[in-house]
Amino acid sequence: DELGYFMFDLKDTQILTAARAKCIEIFNTICTFYGYGEIKNDEDIIRLYRSESRSLWVAAYDQLRRIPEVGTLLNHPEIMAMVKSAGIKLPVWSLAPMLRVDMPNDDKFSFGIHQDFSYNYTSYNSITLWMPFQDVDETSGALWIIPKSHKLGVLPTENDLLKDYFPSKHGEFVQVPMSFGKILVFSQHLIHKSGSNYAKTARFSLQIRYSDLKSEEYMKRKYYVHRRSLSKKIDLKYPEETQ
């Protein structure tokens, strides 16, 4: 409520280890089929990405979010209990889960300054779970956030990014290093941006977003989320119920 985010320790880290291993297995499966060679570790994945066979990297990457381990995490007892404790009374995921693999020294797919709400427009109390599959720090792509910026409500956007950013108005960014097994949970109104990976390893991370079907404001919208005309349909002021 105060900062707009908190850190959660997942005790069942084996599911994260299994998810990362399954991702590497998928890269290996497509590469061995096409005679590229075996993919055994991050170094092999990075080499594949930078090779003339990048299409195999893309083919594998597009399948990662569909692994059974992601489904397990979506409905994991520890995670569901935490989501409900964060005020989500009847949780549903608001977008398909996103499993990213960020390569070293490659910011092509980084997201600039934004609020997740501008992509979802679900319940006002919706939250995002960001979980890395390894340690992340200042060099390997830890997220940047602005504590307490969720209290600013829904902000103007341009191409889905924050239209104007002023530290004096929105606050200063801080980076959030995380050890393996920790999950960053934050309001979808919290201002944040991607961190850059300058390490020698790939950064695997999963993002899950939950909204609340028992949110009174969301029910009054009849769960309407058509974002292009949303501002004409409802009042976008930050509701008291989530403060």
Side-chain angles (χ1 to χ4, degrees), residues 117 121 124 154 217 220-221 224-237:
F117 190 78
Y121 283 104
Y124 276 117
V154 183
E217 174 277 326
K220 287 179 179 178
R221 271 193 271 155
Y224 184 70
V225 296
H226 191 279
R227 66 186 195 173
R228 295 306 176 191
S229 59
L230 183 64
S231 60
K232 299 177 183 178
K233 297 288 185 179
I234 65 169
D235 181 3
L236 287 179
K237 292 181 180 179

Side-chain angles (χ1 to χ4, degrees), residues 27 45 48-49 53-62 101 103:
F27 281 105
I45 292 174
L48 172 65
Y49 182 79
S53 300
R54 182 181 288 191
S55 62
L56 298 179
W57 187 98
V58 174
Y61 178 79
D62 287 344
V101 185
M103 297 289 97

Side-chain angles (χ1 to χ4, degrees), residues 100 102 107 109-114 130 141-145 173 175 192-197 203 207:
R100 290 179 52 130
D102 291 280
D107 289 332
F109 301 104
S110 294
F111 280 90
I113 303 172
H114 67 284
W130 192 86
L143 286 191
W144 291 88
I145 66 172
F173 277 98
Q175 201 164 16
H192 62 288
K193 63 180 179 178
S194 297
S196 296
N197 182 10
R203 190 199 74 177
Q207 297 89 53

Side-chain angles (χ1 to χ4, degrees), residues 88-157:
I88 308 298
K89 297 176 182 178
L90 183 56
V92 294
W93 45 272
S94 50
L95 286 177
M98 173 64 72
L99 204 167
R100 290 179 52 130
V101 185
D102 291 280
M103 297 289 97
N105 303 303
D106 189 325
D107 289 332
K108 182 178 179 181
F109 301 104
S110 294
F111 280 90
I113 303 172
H114 67 284
Q115 297 173 302
D116 279 0
F117 190 78
S118 64
Y119 294 86
N120 303 331
Y121 283 104
T122 52
S123 65
Y124 276 117
N125 62 340
S126 57
I127 58 175
T128 295
L129 279 59
W130 192 86
M131 58 187 82
F133 290 173
Q134 66 287 303
D135 296 346
V136 290
D137 56 21
E138 294 84 355
T139 61
S140 56
L143 286 191
W144 291 88
I145 66 172
I146 300 180
K148 301 184 180 182
S149 58
H150 66 300
K151 295 182 179 181
L152 299 174
V154 183
L155 300 171
T157 61

